[in-house]
RNA sequence: CGGGGCGUGGCGCAGUCCGGCUAGCGCGCUUGCAUGGGGUGCAAGAGGUCGGAGGUUCAAAUCCUCUCGCCCCGACCA
């Protein structure tokens, strides 16, 4: 375990991220290229995220199930765009039990095909609809360039798959789950996101329409943090997912899928972290409070530990995720840096002076140095901690929102757009043509992120690239 | 696929050109003592078939041949 200083975000944002993930013990590199090991601290963070999502899925009527990891290769060939989109990324199992398999099996890169196959068997009548199933698991997409949490071959996620009797109901489901993702991102992860529709080139392979939530990282690059797809009847026709309607006519279902992955962990790191390390939002932080005792000799030690123990108990009893760092072999200063690197939202310091005054010193992770320190009386710590954590949660969201808004600009011209996307997002009229989109990508590396669902102008304008009539505005940005 | 670079304790490196005692250094790790309100100091330890195979030699981390792996740049792909 190395505890050297991180590079600053300004010096080298990418290197800051790579080292931070490893040093904070969120994750580590696995012996297989492209794969990562999620360490206990990182997995606890992910669990706190999945918990918030899973609760929301249940509230919106979904139930969990599990589908197999291995999928017959032939399944992928049933939907044309789907196979074209995924075949370069597939890992294929050709042997089992020492023998060559009759049909190769694909390690799932996503589960539309196998779930579609099962839905076709289960759905017979309009009375069986809607089917609202979610699956938690991992998937594998072959990747060369990897970055822990952001792009790895295997990653953890959930994928919801639903089938409906009408187009409208399926479209509503897609937007409902996009709202769930946005609500989670904003309120739990304190990440402001923009909901929008993907362009033809950016949408999911096989979808009629893809929508996503897009977040801005501190290097101003965009990160797609959750997606929701409307498939129309594409998969229903490929897998014959059919039902008899009330008039005894055979109909194809309308299906959707939606997913949010462990990439969200990367989003939390790159949205909130600073040069000292992680800054975790209290709602999802594995530890919300860490207590550091300070003493010089045995006399001080016993009175200080008495105080830390009682504060620890008060906080724990009130439902706070708290840790007492009573290690004797490292100094308090070392512990400050250690827990700051790991992003614990609140640090409580208790020394002889605090004991004497029946108080504790409280330091906020999101406000470094003396200005983030204040004093609570010992008796009120537990009562004050809940609102204090909420205040921090709000401050993180406000800071991230301000940062994002400062880096979104509306270009006055195409040249202006080229400048803007070097250090921000450009919000501009776009005619919708792939030609214009591709031109921007080739000349600036920026792609269209999404056509936002909200905040569209009432009147048409001119495409920032070609000058033709444009109905809607889109975000252009460099993306992960 | 083309060009360049690197493999030496857990991590980062020196030593290789010009072969020679027991292969060093920093960080980390273990133990002890002191220290303790912002990355503490001192001392004693543990830990290496020098990427692998073969060869030259009295003697190889060092020279020769083959081989494996990784990184960077370019090409290709999205």
């Amino acid at each position: 375990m190395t505890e050297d200083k991180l590079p600053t975000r300004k010096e080298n944002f990418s290197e800051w991220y790579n080292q931070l993930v490893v040093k904070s013990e969120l994750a580590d590199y696995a012996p297989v290229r492209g794969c990562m090991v999620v360490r206990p601290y990182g997995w606890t963070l992910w669990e706190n995220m999945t918990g918030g999502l899973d609760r929301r899925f249940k509230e919106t009527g979904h139930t969990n199930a599990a589908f197999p990891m291995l999928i017959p290769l032939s399944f992928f060939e049933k939907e044309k765009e789907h196979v074209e989109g995924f075949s370069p990324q597939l890992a294929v199992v050709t042997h089992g039990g020492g023998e060559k398999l009759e049909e190769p099996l694909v390690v799932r890169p996503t589960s539309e095909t196998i779930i579609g196959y099962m839905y076709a068997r289960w759905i017979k009548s309009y009375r069986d609809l809607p089917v609202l199933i979610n699956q938690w698991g991992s998937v594998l997409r072959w990747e060369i360039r990897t970055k822990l949490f952001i792009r790895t071959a295997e990653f953890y996620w959930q994928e919801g798959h639903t089938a409906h009797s009408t187009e409208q109901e399926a479209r509503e489901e897609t937007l409902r789950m996009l709202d769930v993702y946005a609500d989670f991102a904003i309120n739990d992860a304190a990440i402001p996101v923009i909901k929008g529709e993907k362009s033809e080139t950016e949408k999911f392979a096989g979808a009629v329409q893809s929508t996503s939530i897009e977040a801005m990282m501190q290097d101003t690059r965009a990160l797609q943090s959750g997606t929701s797809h409307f498939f129309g009847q594409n998969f229903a026709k490929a897998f014959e997912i059919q039902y008899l309607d009330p008039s005894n006519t055979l109909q194809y279902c309308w299906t959707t899928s939606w997913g949010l992955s462990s990439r969200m962990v990367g989003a939390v790191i790159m949205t909130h972290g600073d040069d000292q390390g992680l800054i975790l939002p209290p709602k999802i932080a594995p530890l919300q409070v860490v207590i550091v005792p300070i003493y010089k000799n045995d006399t001080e030690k016993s009175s200080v530990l008495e105080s830390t123990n009682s504060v620890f108990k008060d906080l724990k009893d009130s439902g706070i995720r708290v840790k007492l760092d009573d290690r004797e072999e490292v100094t308090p200063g070392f512990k400050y840096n250690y827990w700051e690197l790991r992003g614990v939202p609140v640090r409580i310091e208790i020394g002889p002076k605090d004991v004497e005054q029946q108080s504790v010193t409280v330091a906020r992770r999101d406000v470094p140095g003396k200005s983030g320190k204040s004093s609570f009386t010992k008796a009120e710590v537990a009562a004050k901690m809940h609102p204090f954590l909420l205040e921090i949660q709000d401050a993180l969201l406000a800071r991230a929102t301000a940062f994002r808004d400062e880096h979104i600009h509306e270009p006055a011209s195409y040249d202006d757009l080229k400048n803007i996307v070097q250090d921000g997002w450009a919000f501009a009229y776009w005619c919708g043509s792939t030609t214009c989109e591709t031109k921007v990508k080739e000349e600036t590396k920026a792609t269209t992120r999404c056509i936002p669902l909200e905040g569209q102008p009432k009147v048409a304008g001119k495409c920032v690239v070609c000058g033709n009539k444009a109905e809607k505005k889109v975000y252009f940005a460099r993306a992960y």
Side-chain angles (χ1 to χ4, degrees), chain A residues 3 295 328 331 333 337 340 347 349 351 353-354:
Chain A
E3 293 294 343
Y295 50 80
E328 299 197 4
T331 61
N337 287 282
E340 279 169 8
R347 178 180 72 241
E349 304 167 12
K353 292 174 209 160
D354 299 294

mmCIF file of all heavy atoms in Angstrom, chain A residues 3 295 328 331 333 337 340 347 349 351 353-354, chain B residues 27-28 35-40 71-73:
data_model
loop_
_atom_site.group_PDB
_atom_site.id
_atom_site.type_symbol
_atom_site.label_atom_id
_atom_site.label_comp_id
_atom_site.label_asym_id
_atom_site.label_seq_id
_atom_site.Cartn_x
_atom_site.Cartn_y
_atom_site.Cartn_z
ATOM 1 N N GLU A 3 1.291 5.331 0.031
ATOM 2 C CA GLU A 3 0.531 6.462 0.544
ATOM 3 C C GLU A 3 1.137 7.773 0.066
ATOM 4 O O GLU A 3 1.008 8.810 0.692
ATOM 5 C CB GLU A 3 0.498 6.434 2.078
ATOM 6 C CG GLU A 3 -0.289 5.245 2.637
ATOM 7 C CD GLU A 3 -1.776 5.284 2.319
ATOM 8 O OE1 GLU A 3 -2.282 6.369 1.948
ATOM 9 O OE2 GLU A 3 -2.446 4.241 2.427
ATOM 10 N N TYR A 295 -3.781 11.828 21.720
ATOM 11 C CA TYR A 295 -3.277 11.853 23.098
ATOM 12 C C TYR A 295 -1.763 11.721 23.105
ATOM 13 O O TYR A 295 -1.162 11.277 22.136
ATOM 14 C CB TYR A 295 -3.914 10.730 23.912
ATOM 15 C CG TYR A 295 -3.830 9.372 23.249
ATOM 16 C CD1 TYR A 295 -2.659 8.622 23.307
ATOM 17 C CD2 TYR A 295 -4.919 8.845 22.540
ATOM 18 C CE1 TYR A 295 -2.568 7.393 22.679
ATOM 19 C CE2 TYR A 295 -4.827 7.616 21.906
ATOM 20 C CZ TYR A 295 -3.652 6.894 21.992
ATOM 21 O OH TYR A 295 -3.561 5.683 21.356
ATOM 22 N N GLU A 328 -2.594 2.527 17.010
ATOM 23 C CA GLU A 328 -1.592 3.225 17.813
ATOM 24 C C GLU A 328 -0.311 3.465 17.054
ATOM 25 O O GLU A 328 0.530 4.252 17.469
ATOM 26 C CB GLU A 328 -1.296 2.412 19.080
ATOM 27 C CG GLU A 328 -2.528 2.239 19.933
ATOM 28 C CD GLU A 328 -2.216 1.810 21.355
ATOM 29 O OE1 GLU A 328 -1.024 1.718 21.703
ATOM 30 O OE2 GLU A 328 -3.190 1.586 22.102
ATOM 31 N N THR A 331 0.300 8.211 13.390
ATOM 32 C CA THR A 331 -0.029 9.488 14.043
ATOM 33 C C THR A 331 -1.379 10.003 13.566
ATOM 34 O O THR A 331 -1.874 9.596 12.511
ATOM 35 C CB THR A 331 1.029 10.544 13.687
ATOM 36 O OG1 THR A 331 1.006 10.723 12.270
ATOM 37 C CG2 THR A 331 2.416 10.118 14.145
ATOM 38 N N GLY A 333 -2.024 12.829 12.261
ATOM 39 C CA GLY A 333 -1.852 13.476 10.955
ATOM 40 C C GLY A 333 -1.913 12.469 9.819
ATOM 41 O O GLY A 333 -2.507 12.711 8.773
ATOM 42 N N ASN A 337 -4.843 12.179 6.566
ATOM 43 C CA ASN A 337 -4.583 11.985 5.137
ATOM 44 C C ASN A 337 -5.148 10.669 4.626
ATOM 45 O O ASN A 337 -5.665 10.595 3.514
ATOM 46 C CB ASN A 337 -3.075 12.055 4.882
ATOM 47 C CG ASN A 337 -2.562 13.468 4.986
ATOM 48 O OD1 ASN A 337 -2.722 14.272 4.077
ATOM 49 N ND2 ASN A 337 -1.995 13.809 6.119
ATOM 50 N N GLU A 340 -8.893 11.048 4.351
ATOM 51 C CA GLU A 340 -9.220 12.012 3.293
ATOM 52 C C GLU A 340 -9.058 11.367 1.930
ATOM 53 O O GLU A 340 -9.890 11.546 1.037
ATOM 54 C CB GLU A 340 -8.342 13.264 3.416
ATOM 55 C CG GLU A 340 -8.881 14.209 4.471
ATOM 56 C CD GLU A 340 -7.926 15.343 4.829
ATOM 57 O OE1 GLU A 340 -6.894 15.502 4.157
ATOM 58 O OE2 GLU A 340 -8.242 16.054 5.802
ATOM 59 N N ARG A 347 -14.840 13.900 9.596
ATOM 60 C CA ARG A 347 -13.849 13.385 10.538
ATOM 61 C C ARG A 347 -14.083 14.066 11.883
ATOM 62 O O ARG A 347 -14.294 15.282 11.938
ATOM 63 C CB ARG A 347 -12.439 13.695 10.062
ATOM 64 C CG ARG A 347 -11.358 13.228 11.044
ATOM 65 C CD ARG A 347 -9.960 13.534 10.558
ATOM 66 N NE ARG A 347 -9.649 14.954 10.631
ATOM 67 C CZ ARG A 347 -9.340 15.708 9.585
ATOM 68 N NH1 ARG A 347 -9.311 15.193 8.375
ATOM 69 N NH2 ARG A 347 -9.070 16.986 9.750
ATOM 70 N N GLU A 349 -12.302 14.736 15.485
ATOM 71 C CA GLU A 349 -11.048 14.663 16.238
ATOM 72 C C GLU A 349 -11.382 14.877 17.706
ATOM 73 O O GLU A 349 -12.106 15.797 18.057
ATOM 74 C CB GLU A 349 -10.088 15.782 15.786
ATOM 75 C CG GLU A 349 -9.802 15.776 14.292
ATOM 76 C CD GLU A 349 -9.114 17.064 13.824
ATOM 77 O OE1 GLU A 349 -8.659 17.860 14.677
ATOM 78 O OE2 GLU A 349 -9.043 17.268 12.601
ATOM 79 N N GLY A 351 -9.286 15.206 21.292
ATOM 80 C CA GLY A 351 -8.030 15.250 22.034
ATOM 81 C C GLY A 351 -8.289 15.739 23.441
ATOM 82 O O GLY A 351 -9.441 15.967 23.824
ATOM 83 N N LYS A 353 -7.946 18.601 24.831
ATOM 84 C CA LYS A 353 -8.673 19.875 24.904
ATOM 85 C C LYS A 353 -10.181 19.675 24.714
ATOM 86 O O LYS A 353 -10.987 20.339 25.355
ATOM 87 C CB LYS A 353 -8.168 20.838 23.826
ATOM 88 C CG LYS A 353 -6.742 21.326 24.057
ATOM 89 C CD LYS A 353 -6.269 22.157 22.865
ATOM 90 C CE LYS A 353 -4.765 22.049 22.711
ATOM 91 N NZ LYS A 353 -4.312 22.410 21.354
ATOM 92 N N ASP A 354 -10.513 18.746 23.791
ATOM 93 C CA ASP A 354 -11.933 18.475 23.560
ATOM 94 C C ASP A 354 -12.558 17.806 24.780
ATOM 95 O O ASP A 354 -13.673 18.132 25.166
ATOM 96 C CB ASP A 354 -12.101 17.576 22.329
ATOM 97 C CG ASP A 354 -11.573 18.228 21.077
ATOM 98 O OD1 ASP A 354 -12.147 19.238 20.645
ATOM 99 O OD2 ASP A 354 -10.561 17.740 20.533
ATOM 100 P P C B 27 12.966 5.277 2.996
ATOM 101 O OP1 C B 27 12.743 6.411 3.903
ATOM 102 O OP2 C B 27 13.628 4.048 3.490
ATOM 103 O "O5'" C B 27 11.580 4.850 2.336
ATOM 104 C "C5'" C B 27 10.645 5.835 1.901
ATOM 105 C "C4'" C B 27 9.502 5.183 1.149
ATOM 106 O "O4'" C B 27 10.038 4.376 0.061
ATOM 107 C "C3'" C B 27 8.664 4.197 1.937
ATOM 108 O "O3'" C B 27 7.715 4.821 2.779
ATOM 109 C "C2'" C B 27 8.004 3.410 0.819
ATOM 110 O "O2'" C B 27 6.955 4.136 0.220
ATOM 111 C "C1'" C B 27 9.166 3.288 -0.175
ATOM 112 N N1 C B 27 9.901 2.013 0.019
ATOM 113 C C2 C B 27 9.321 0.837 -0.472
ATOM 114 O O2 C B 27 8.226 0.923 -1.077
ATOM 115 N N3 C B 27 9.939 -0.349 -0.294
ATOM 116 C C4 C B 27 11.105 -0.390 0.347
ATOM 117 N N4 C B 27 11.678 -1.588 0.497
ATOM 118 C C5 C B 27 11.725 0.787 0.872
ATOM 119 C C6 C B 27 11.094 1.956 0.690
ATOM 120 P P G B 28 7.344 4.170 4.241
ATOM 121 O OP1 G B 28 6.357 5.053 4.883
ATOM 122 O OP2 G B 28 8.608 3.841 4.932
ATOM 123 O "O5'" G B 28 6.634 2.802 3.845
ATOM 124 C "C5'" G B 28 5.342 2.804 3.249
ATOM 125 C "C4'" G B 28 4.995 1.410 2.784
ATOM 126 O "O4'" G B 28 5.988 0.951 1.832
ATOM 127 C "C3'" G B 28 4.993 0.334 3.858
ATOM 128 O "O3'" G B 28 3.776 0.308 4.573
ATOM 129 C "C2'" G B 28 5.210 -0.930 3.042
ATOM 130 O "O2'" G B 28 4.020 -1.320 2.387
ATOM 131 C "C1'" G B 28 6.216 -0.438 1.996
ATOM 132 N N9 G B 28 7.598 -0.633 2.452
ATOM 133 C C8 G B 28 8.481 0.316 2.885
ATOM 134 N N7 G B 28 9.645 -0.178 3.230
ATOM 135 C C5 G B 28 9.508 -1.547 3.006
ATOM 136 C C6 G B 28 10.425 -2.605 3.196
ATOM 137 O O6 G B 28 11.592 -2.551 3.605
ATOM 138 N N1 G B 28 9.879 -3.831 2.861
ATOM 139 C C2 G B 28 8.602 -4.017 2.396
ATOM 140 N N2 G B 28 8.252 -5.289 2.124
ATOM 141 N N3 G B 28 7.727 -3.039 2.200
ATOM 142 C C4 G B 28 8.248 -1.843 2.531
ATOM 143 P P U B 35 7.727 9.917 24.639
ATOM 144 O OP1 U B 35 7.924 11.145 25.444
ATOM 145 O OP2 U B 35 6.722 8.916 25.048
ATOM 146 O "O5'" U B 35 7.400 10.336 23.139
ATOM 147 C "C5'" U B 35 7.958 11.522 22.574
ATOM 148 C "C4'" U B 35 7.543 11.636 21.125
ATOM 149 O "O4'" U B 35 7.610 10.339 20.500
ATOM 150 C "C3'" U B 35 6.102 12.078 20.891
ATOM 151 O "O3'" U B 35 5.995 13.495 20.932
ATOM 152 C "C2'" U B 35 5.821 11.542 19.493
ATOM 153 O "O2'" U B 35 6.369 12.384 18.494
ATOM 154 C "C1'" U B 35 6.609 10.230 19.503
ATOM 155 N N1 U B 35 5.768 9.042 19.792
ATOM 156 C C2 U B 35 4.913 8.604 18.788
ATOM 157 O O2 U B 35 4.824 9.169 17.705
ATOM 158 N N3 U B 35 4.182 7.498 19.109
ATOM 159 C C4 U B 35 4.204 6.787 20.290
ATOM 160 O O4 U B 35 3.477 5.804 20.422
ATOM 161 C C5 U B 35 5.109 7.318 21.278
ATOM 162 C C6 U B 35 5.836 8.399 21.002
ATOM 163 P P G B 36 4.631 14.151 21.523
ATOM 164 O OP1 G B 36 4.804 15.618 21.474
ATOM 165 O OP2 G B 36 4.319 13.504 22.810
ATOM 166 O "O5'" G B 36 3.520 13.733 20.462
ATOM 167 C "C5'" G B 36 3.587 14.273 19.135
ATOM 168 C "C4'" G B 36 2.524 13.609 18.283
ATOM 169 O "O4'" G B 36 2.571 12.181 18.497
ATOM 170 C "C3'" G B 36 1.097 14.043 18.622
ATOM 171 O "O3'" G B 36 0.303 14.072 17.459
ATOM 172 C "C2'" G B 36 0.607 12.938 19.548
ATOM 173 O "O2'" G B 36 -0.780 12.741 19.495
ATOM 174 C "C1'" G B 36 1.329 11.722 18.978
ATOM 175 N N9 G B 36 1.579 10.710 19.991
ATOM 176 C C8 G B 36 2.274 10.876 21.158
ATOM 177 N N7 G B 36 2.310 9.791 21.881
ATOM 178 C C5 G B 36 1.584 8.862 21.136
ATOM 179 C C6 G B 36 1.287 7.519 21.418
ATOM 180 O O6 G B 36 1.600 6.863 22.405
ATOM 181 N N1 G B 36 0.540 6.945 20.396
ATOM 182 C C2 G B 36 0.143 7.578 19.267
ATOM 183 N N2 G B 36 -0.552 6.861 18.401
ATOM 184 N N3 G B 36 0.417 8.841 18.985
ATOM 185 C C4 G B 36 1.135 9.417 19.967
ATOM 186 P P G B 37 0.396 15.225 16.367
ATOM 187 O OP1 G B 37 1.183 14.670 15.266
ATOM 188 O OP2 G B 37 0.808 16.518 17.000
ATOM 189 O "O5'" G B 37 -1.103 15.354 15.857
ATOM 190 C "C5'" G B 37 -2.116 15.829 16.717
ATOM 191 C "C4'" G B 37 -2.808 17.007 16.101
ATOM 192 O "O4'" G B 37 -3.953 17.295 16.908
ATOM 193 C "C3'" G B 37 -1.993 18.283 16.058
ATOM 194 O "O3'" G B 37 -2.367 18.974 14.887
ATOM 195 C "C2'" G B 37 -2.437 19.040 17.301
ATOM 196 O "O2'" G B 37 -2.371 20.441 17.131
ATOM 197 C "C1'" G B 37 -3.877 18.627 17.404
ATOM 198 N N9 G B 37 -4.450 18.564 18.717
ATOM 199 C C8 G B 37 -3.854 18.615 19.950
ATOM 200 N N7 G B 37 -4.718 18.532 20.938
ATOM 201 C C5 G B 37 -5.958 18.428 20.300
ATOM 202 C C6 G B 37 -7.254 18.318 20.823
ATOM 203 O O6 G B 37 -7.586 18.260 21.997
ATOM 204 N N1 G B 37 -8.214 18.243 19.829
ATOM 205 C C2 G B 37 -7.948 18.275 18.475
ATOM 206 N N2 G B 37 -8.978 18.195 17.661
ATOM 207 N N3 G B 37 -6.733 18.374 17.962
ATOM 208 C C4 G B 37 -5.800 18.455 18.933
ATOM 209 P P G B 38 -1.324 19.042 13.670
ATOM 210 O OP1 G B 38 0.087 18.874 14.104
ATOM 211 O OP2 G B 38 -1.737 20.214 12.870
ATOM 212 O "O5'" G B 38 -1.762 17.693 12.886
ATOM 213 C "C5'" G B 38 -0.784 16.688 12.618
ATOM 214 C "C4'" G B 38 -0.553 16.579 11.124
ATOM 215 O "O4'" G B 38 -1.849 16.581 10.458
ATOM 216 C "C3'" G B 38 0.233 17.732 10.495
ATOM 217 O "O3'" G B 38 0.990 17.237 9.395
ATOM 218 C "C2'" G B 38 -0.853 18.648 9.951
ATOM 219 O "O2'" G B 38 -0.422 19.395 8.851
ATOM 220 C "C1'" G B 38 -1.900 17.628 9.525
ATOM 221 N N9 G B 38 -3.265 18.115 9.500
ATOM 222 C C8 G B 38 -3.887 18.930 10.410
ATOM 223 N N7 G B 38 -5.132 19.158 10.097
ATOM 224 C C5 G B 38 -5.326 18.465 8.908
ATOM 225 C C6 G B 38 -6.486 18.347 8.086
ATOM 226 O O6 G B 38 -7.596 18.827 8.263
ATOM 227 N N1 G B 38 -6.248 17.557 6.981
ATOM 228 C C2 G B 38 -5.049 16.952 6.697
ATOM 229 N N2 G B 38 -5.003 16.221 5.592
ATOM 230 N N3 G B 38 -3.964 17.047 7.452
ATOM 231 C C4 G B 38 -4.186 17.825 8.528
ATOM 232 P P G B 39 2.340 16.288 9.763
ATOM 233 O OP1 G B 39 2.827 16.336 11.150
ATOM 234 O OP2 G B 39 3.211 16.653 8.634
ATOM 235 O "O5'" G B 39 1.748 14.835 9.566
ATOM 236 C "C5'" G B 39 1.242 14.473 8.313
ATOM 237 C "C4'" G B 39 1.468 13.000 8.057
ATOM 238 O "O4'" G B 39 0.842 12.675 6.803
ATOM 239 C "C3'" G B 39 2.946 12.590 7.919
ATOM 240 O "O3'" G B 39 3.014 11.220 8.302
ATOM 241 C "C2'" G B 39 3.145 12.666 6.402
ATOM 242 O "O2'" G B 39 4.168 11.765 5.977
ATOM 243 C "C1'" G B 39 1.814 12.173 5.893
ATOM 244 N N9 G B 39 1.353 12.542 4.567
ATOM 245 C C8 G B 39 1.584 13.633 3.778
ATOM 246 N N7 G B 39 0.912 13.589 2.644
ATOM 247 C C5 G B 39 0.230 12.382 2.720
ATOM 248 C C6 G B 39 -0.660 11.758 1.807
ATOM 249 O O6 G B 39 -1.038 12.172 0.716
ATOM 250 N N1 G B 39 -1.102 10.550 2.275
ATOM 251 C C2 G B 39 -0.766 9.996 3.480
ATOM 252 N N2 G B 39 -1.289 8.828 3.770
ATOM 253 N N3 G B 39 0.045 10.556 4.356
ATOM 254 C C4 G B 39 0.497 11.742 3.892
ATOM 255 P P U B 40 3.689 10.786 9.783
ATOM 256 O OP1 U B 40 3.571 9.351 9.881
ATOM 257 O OP2 U B 40 3.044 11.695 10.762
ATOM 258 O "O5'" U B 40 5.253 11.094 9.731
ATOM 259 C "C5'" U B 40 5.769 12.360 10.061
ATOM 260 C "C4'" U B 40 6.693 12.269 11.252
ATOM 261 O "O4'" U B 40 5.980 11.808 12.409
ATOM 262 C "C3'" U B 40 7.834 11.266 11.133
ATOM 263 O "O3'" U B 40 8.896 11.747 10.333
ATOM 264 C "C2'" U B 40 8.235 11.132 12.595
ATOM 265 O "O2'" U B 40 9.001 12.225 13.023
ATOM 266 C "C1'" U B 40 6.886 11.187 13.293
ATOM 267 N N1 U B 40 6.392 9.858 13.679
ATOM 268 C C2 U B 40 7.024 9.264 14.759
ATOM 269 O O2 U B 40 7.948 9.793 15.330
ATOM 270 N N3 U B 40 6.535 8.032 15.102
ATOM 271 C C4 U B 40 5.518 7.353 14.502
ATOM 272 O O4 U B 40 5.190 6.253 14.935
ATOM 273 C C5 U B 40 4.917 8.037 13.382
ATOM 274 C C6 U B 40 5.365 9.239 13.020
ATOM 275 P P C B 71 0.238 -3.520 -21.851
ATOM 276 O OP1 C B 71 -1.059 -3.099 -21.264
ATOM 277 O OP2 C B 71 0.264 -4.168 -23.187
ATOM 278 O "O5'" C B 71 1.207 -2.268 -21.894
ATOM 279 C "C5'" C B 71 1.373 -1.429 -20.743
ATOM 280 C "C4'" C B 71 2.440 -0.405 -21.008
ATOM 281 O "O4'" C B 71 3.699 -1.069 -21.288
ATOM 282 C "C3'" C B 71 2.222 0.475 -22.234
ATOM 283 O "O3'" C B 71 1.338 1.544 -21.975
ATOM 284 C "C2'" C B 71 3.640 0.945 -22.522
ATOM 285 O "O2'" C B 71 4.048 1.965 -21.633
ATOM 286 C "C1'" C B 71 4.446 -0.314 -22.231
ATOM 287 N N1 C B 71 4.686 -1.142 -23.434
ATOM 288 C C2 C B 71 5.695 -0.747 -24.325
ATOM 289 O O2 C B 71 6.344 0.283 -24.079
ATOM 290 N N3 C B 71 5.936 -1.483 -25.430
ATOM 291 C C4 C B 71 5.213 -2.588 -25.655
ATOM 292 N N4 C B 71 5.493 -3.289 -26.761
ATOM 293 C C5 C B 71 4.182 -3.010 -24.777
ATOM 294 C C6 C B 71 3.953 -2.268 -23.690
ATOM 295 P P C B 72 0.457 2.150 -23.183
ATOM 296 O OP1 C B 72 -0.531 3.059 -22.581
ATOM 297 O OP2 C B 72 0.010 1.043 -24.053
ATOM 298 O "O5'" C B 72 1.519 3.003 -23.983
ATOM 299 C "C5'" C B 72 2.109 4.166 -23.402
ATOM 300 C "C4'" C B 72 3.156 4.734 -24.333
ATOM 301 O "O4'" C B 72 4.213 3.758 -24.527
ATOM 302 C "C3'" C B 72 2.688 5.042 -25.746
ATOM 303 O "O3'" C B 72 2.002 6.278 -25.834
ATOM 304 C "C2'" C B 72 4.004 5.043 -26.504
ATOM 305 O "O2'" C B 72 4.729 6.231 -26.295
ATOM 306 C "C1'" C B 72 4.732 3.879 -25.838
ATOM 307 N N1 C B 72 4.540 2.603 -26.563
ATOM 308 C C2 C B 72 5.321 2.365 -27.710
ATOM 309 O O2 C B 72 6.126 3.239 -28.077
ATOM 310 N N3 C B 72 5.170 1.205 -28.380
ATOM 311 C C4 C B 72 4.290 0.293 -27.958
ATOM 312 N N4 C B 72 4.177 -0.836 -28.648
ATOM 313 C C5 C B 72 3.480 0.509 -26.800
ATOM 314 C C6 C B 72 3.641 1.659 -26.141
ATOM 315 P P C B 73 0.858 6.460 -26.955
ATOM 316 O OP1 C B 73 0.194 7.750 -26.687
ATOM 317 O OP2 C B 73 0.056 5.227 -27.041
ATOM 318 O "O5'" C B 73 1.700 6.593 -28.295
ATOM 319 C "C5'" C B 73 2.539 7.726 -28.519
ATOM 320 C "C4'" C B 73 3.289 7.565 -29.818
ATOM 321 O "O4'" C B 73 4.151 6.398 -29.741
ATOM 322 C "C3'" C B 73 2.437 7.288 -31.046
ATOM 323 O "O3'" C B 73 1.817 8.442 -31.575
ATOM 324 C "C2'" C B 73 3.466 6.677 -31.992
ATOM 325 O "O2'" C B 73 4.304 7.658 -32.560
ATOM 326 C "C1'" C B 73 4.275 5.817 -31.024
ATOM 327 N N1 C B 73 3.765 4.424 -30.978
ATOM 328 C C2 C B 73 4.148 3.536 -32.006
ATOM 329 O O2 C B 73 4.889 3.954 -32.901
ATOM 330 N N3 C B 73 3.692 2.258 -31.985
ATOM 331 C C4 C B 73 2.892 1.866 -31.004
ATOM 332 N N4 C B 73 2.470 0.601 -31.031
ATOM 333 C C5 C B 73 2.476 2.733 -29.952
ATOM 334 C C6 C B 73 2.935 3.996 -29.978
#
